[in-house]
Amino acid sequence: MKLATLKDGTLDGRLVLVSRDLGRAVAATAFAPSMIDALQRWDAVQSPLQALADALDAGTAPGIFAFDPAACAAPLPRSPQWLDGSAFLNHGRLMEQAFNTPPIPDFDTVPVMYQGASDDFLGPRDDVPLPDEAHGIDFEGEYGVVCGPVTMGVSPEAALGCIRLVLQLNDWSLRALGPHEMKTGFGFLQAKPSTAFAPVAVTPDELGDAWQHGRVAMPLHVQWNGARFGEPNGREMNFHFGELVAHAARTRRLSAGTIVGSGTVSNVSRAAGSACIAERRVIEKIDEGAIRTGFMRFADRVRMQAMFADGREGPFGVIEQRVVRG
């Protein structure tokens, strides 16, 4: 099942179901007016939503219309909670070098996670307003999951069963502000502006063989101003999403609609490229002795799209955004 949220002037938007080819849609409001309502009543609405999705794909659902990603908000325009991990250890180790920080204790065995803002997510085609190019504007291509209710102390395996939807996202970062905030010991705040999401959220079964024990085994193709930047694959995620969700729920419950991110998709092989500028910069410093790549400027564009291994377009649609002066 594929779901999206159309902008309608309200805070939570209007829930629609999207066809498997991402070309058509149908309103889901007869069962749930919004994504957050559907997630909060998932056991009651999942079956009728699936039946409507099947009818949409068969072409028999009433009220089918053309799906327009540009009309979409984030699948969840706002969420009870947004938690982002750093589940690709290759990226984390490179970032330690980039920020000249000491190794994180137990980095290989205990997930790293921060709590970000969840009240103002960006849609897939929204401009990204930011105050100053000197802040080190960077994109970060990631995967994420949306949870149903999660009990405190859940096991990683049980946490996998709490995952309702899978997402593709761009976790914008301001790199010049990050080092100071990390040194305070309180975590990111100003260094993490609003996160953007691809238009479509999908149930894990839509990924087929690409959903591998809580990992999205798909390359994430990233372009910056039309040029190839990288296509790292989510299969190298060291902590799977069940482990991330269980880590977040160790001492508290998680409410339906909580989003958990993977952190920047990163592969050991240099040939895969990168999903963020900071990683490319530190690789340049390590491999070539000097940083050559700057951060984003106003009017720059970034494009992200997950693809299946056989070259088919992925199920999430495309993030395509422009940075503008806020």
Side-chain angles (χ1 to χ4, degrees):
M1 189 161 46
K2 292 182 168 69
L3 304 99
T5 295
L6 298 184
K7 298 177 180 179
D8 67 354
T10 68
L11 291 175
D12 294 311
R14 180 165 62 100
L15 182 65
V16 298
L17 291 163
V18 183
S19 61
R20 284 203 167 91
D21 64 2
L22 303 185
R24 295 161 294 143
V26 65
T29 48
F31 306 109
S34 64
M35 185 77 82
I36 189 62
D37 179 75
L39 290 162
Q40 290 169 342
R41 299 187 299 112
W42 190 256
D43 289 344
V45 302
Q46 181 182 15
S47 292
L49 287 176
Q50 184 62 64
L52 183 58
D54 293 341
L56 170 62
D57 284 319
T60 59
I64 293 175
F65 57 91
F67 178 60
D68 179 10
C72 288
L76 262 174
R78 55 178 180 161
S79 165
Q81 190 165 207
W82 156 232
L83 304 168
D84 199 21
S86 183
F88 293 86
L89 299 188
N90 180 66
H91 175 77
R93 293 187 179 109
L94 288 170
M95 290 304 99
E96 287 175 355
Q97 296 181 59
F99 291 116
N100 194 29
T101 56
I104 297 171
D106 304 314
F107 188 53
D108 291 359
T109 56
V110 179
V112 174
M113 187 173 289
Y114 79 91
Q115 185 174 38
S118 60
D119 60 326
D120 184 36
F121 291 141
L122 299 176
R125 304 290 175 86
D126 290 347
D127 284 345
V128 184
L130 294 170
D132 194 336
E133 290 178 347
H135 288 163
I137 302 168
D138 198 356
F139 49 81
E140 287 194 59
E142 304 186 19
Y143 295 113
V145 296
V146 186
C147 301
V150 182
T151 58
M152 183 174 65
V154 68
S155 71
E157 293 305 315
L160 285 174
C162 298
I163 292 171
R164 300 288 184 260
L165 300 168
V166 186
L167 306 161
Q168 176 194 311
L169 61 106
N170 181 6
D171 184 38
W172 288 95
S173 291
L174 300 176
R175 298 298 187 184
L177 305 181
H180 168 74
E181 293 191 323
M182 286 189 289
K183 289 176 182 177
T184 67
F186 274 78
F188 296 120
L189 179 66
Q190 295 174 351
K192 287 293 185 179
S194 298
T195 302
F197 291 80
V200 180
V202 307
T203 49
D205 60 285
E206 291 287 343
L207 300 180
D209 293 342
W211 182 245
Q212 296 181 5
H213 194 69
R215 297 173 174 86
V216 182
M218 302 176 70
L220 182 57
H221 290 249
V222 180
Q223 296 178 351
W224 179 11
N225 291 332
R228 180 255 184 188
F229 200 82
E231 52 281 328
N233 197 302
R235 67 186 171 215
E236 290 190 24
M237 191 172 168
N238 297 84
F239 298 104
H240 63 69
F241 277 113
E243 292 172 300
L244 295 183
V245 172
H247 176 76
R250 181 182 178 190
T251 59
R252 55 177 164 168
R253 297 172 293 171
L254 306 182
S255 59
T258 294
I259 302 175
V260 178
S262 67
T264 306
V265 180
S266 180
N267 292 172
V268 173
S269 171
R270 300 285 203 257
S274 297
C276 74
I277 299 170
E279 183 173 294
R280 173 181 279 191
R281 284 164 57 90
V282 73
I283 289 173
E284 289 172 347
K285 184 176 181 180
I286 294 168
D287 292 356
E288 303 171 30
I291 295 171
R292 297 182 291 103
T293 302
F295 289 110
M296 297 185 80
R297 309 286 301 252
F298 294 136
D300 278 7
R301 294 180 178 271
V302 63
R303 186 182 193 276
M304 299 180 180
Q305 183 179 25
M307 305 286 283
F308 285 107
D310 60 7
R312 288 179 295 132
E313 292 187 352
F316 308 105
V318 178
I319 296 173
E320 192 160 8
Q321 296 185 283
R322 179 184 61 164
V323 177
V324 299
R325 187 184 298 275

